[in-house]
Amino acid sequence: MNTSSPSPGTERTGGSSVRIGALVPLTRPGWVEAGHHLLAGLELAVREVNDGGGIAGRPLELVVRDTAADPRKAAAAVDEWAGLGVAAVVGEYHSVVARAAAVRADALGLPFLCSSAVLDALTEQPTEWVARLAPAQSHGWRIYADFLLGAGHSRIAVAADPSVYWASGARVLRDHLVPRGGTVIDLDMRALSPADVCDRLVDRRATALLLLVGHPEPAVPIVRSVRRDRRLAEITIGAPAGQPEFAGWAESLGVDGAAIPFLRYLPERLGPLGARVGAALRERLAEEPSFVAFEGYDTIAVLAEVLRSHGTDRARIAESWPRVAVEGTRGTIRFSRTEGISVWQWQWAPVQVADRDPVESDRFRIRRTG
């Protein structure tokens, strides 16, 4: 997909556009719903920048590429943009895809502001070219592990698909839970059916099941199977990667999808900017905006300020990351170096453990903050 038309409002600006490459999953097997929310946030912020006169009179222009959750497509897009004169790259939801983009951006000297991916090691070596808004996986998932311990769970089963992202998450959970008295039970979903999962949960006396798997398959069948097994009436199902955040989860599972705690990156209450942007995103999406939509908006808010202050030279953009101080929808965004993180990191976006209310599935309950 190639979407490169200027957003509404560019008629107020003059001169050639400042082009920004945007990586977004818009077709399967990518998480399409997350991609649409991310793109809505990016596009809303671009429109507002252009309504306000653009960048020194030049309109911002998004050049969108659909990654479809394919790291090769992301790397190819970065290669393409390096020769097209884009000022920077933004976006991406899937961590493994963002990692491929970050590696290429670092190699080519192209600034990349990663919106939503959380994998700690986006690049193998520290880089000056990449910055990130989303909290690192090790940070958010430790908060999730503390939530589990606080809720009294010590025998925690992890149903995982094969993936660098899922394996990294499982490692974070294990490293945090085991020294605190927890037991982590691995369930390899390459070898187990949903019915097998239920039997393993009973046999191993698990009190919580974490879904480190894709949506809708195999997450939806697993949830349905567990919910219908009378032996597991007291078990807690969790989805730390955030699947229940999106409306498609509730549409697929109904009441079965409620009371499944997940991570989201929002404050307990949005300030005036966040509330205004939230209302605009709600109108654009025709549904409640997810934290991913806010991440998209904040990405452009940060980049626009960098472009206004430092111009469109790629090296100067990358040099500006440690000097960023931008009021975003979820707090003041600043980048710093963090131990174990190879990119410039916002330390930290607000973190919630939330779930859908069993009585009113469109309403979210905040279970823990960090």
Side-chain angles (χ1 to χ4, degrees), residues 37 93 116 118 134-135 139-141 143-144 239-246 260-270 282 288-292 294-295 330 349-356 362-370:
H37 279 235
Y93 176 79
S116 197
V118 300
H139 176 72
W141 287 46
I143 292 171
Y144 193 91
Q243 297 96 321
E245 169 81 1
F246 297 96
I260 296 180
F262 64 94
L263 284 167
R264 67 201 312 227
Y265 306 123
L266 291 171
E268 291 189 69
R269 290 181 179 82
L270 291 167
R282 195 172 298 112
E288 195 65 24
S290 70
F291 68 87
V292 180
F294 288 96
E295 288 174 328
R330 299 162 298 142
V351 177
Q352 297 175 6
V353 178
D355 66 5
R356 289 182 176 270
D362 288 341
R363 189 175 78 86
F364 293 102
R365 305 181 300 183
I366 299 174
R367 308 291 299 277
R368 189 184 183 95
T369 60

Side-chain angles (χ1 to χ4, degrees), residues 6 11 33 43 46 52 57 141 143 190 213 222 229 234 290 332:
E11 65 275 6
E33 199 170 2
E43 289 181 337
V46 166
W141 287 46
I143 292 171
R190 292 173 295 185
V213 296
I222 294 172
D229 193 317
E234 301 301 319
S290 70
T332 302

Side-chain angles (χ1 to χ4, degrees), residues 262-314:
F262 64 94
L263 284 167
R264 67 201 312 227
Y265 306 123
L266 291 171
E268 291 189 69
R269 290 181 179 82
L270 291 167
L273 174 61
R276 178 185 67 75
V277 170
L281 288 168
R282 195 172 298 112
E283 181 178 356
R284 179 177 284 260
L285 289 163
E287 63 183 18
E288 195 65 24
S290 70
F291 68 87
V292 180
F294 288 96
E295 288 174 328
Y297 182 94
D298 286 342
T299 300
I300 296 299
V302 168
L303 189 57
E305 182 58 33
V306 168
L307 292 168
R308 292 188 190 105
S309 301
H310 301 279
T312 59
D313 178 77
R314 292 172 177 174

Side-chain angles (χ1 to χ4, degrees), residues 18 55 58 85-88 109-111 129 303 306-321:
V18 178
I55 306 299
R58 300 170 62 189
V86 302
L110 186 56
W129 293 96
L303 189 57
V306 168
L307 292 168
R308 292 188 190 105
S309 301
H310 301 279
T312 59
D313 178 77
R314 292 172 177 174
R316 292 190 65 192
I317 292 171
E319 290 167 1
S320 74
W321 298 139

Side-chain angles (χ1 to χ4, degrees), residues 111-132:
F112 175 28
L113 180 51
C114 183
S115 304
S116 197
V118 300
L119 194 67
D120 281 37
L122 280 183
T123 56
E124 293 183 4
Q125 301 296 329
T127 175
E128 303 295 325
W129 293 96
V130 183
R132 173 169 56 189

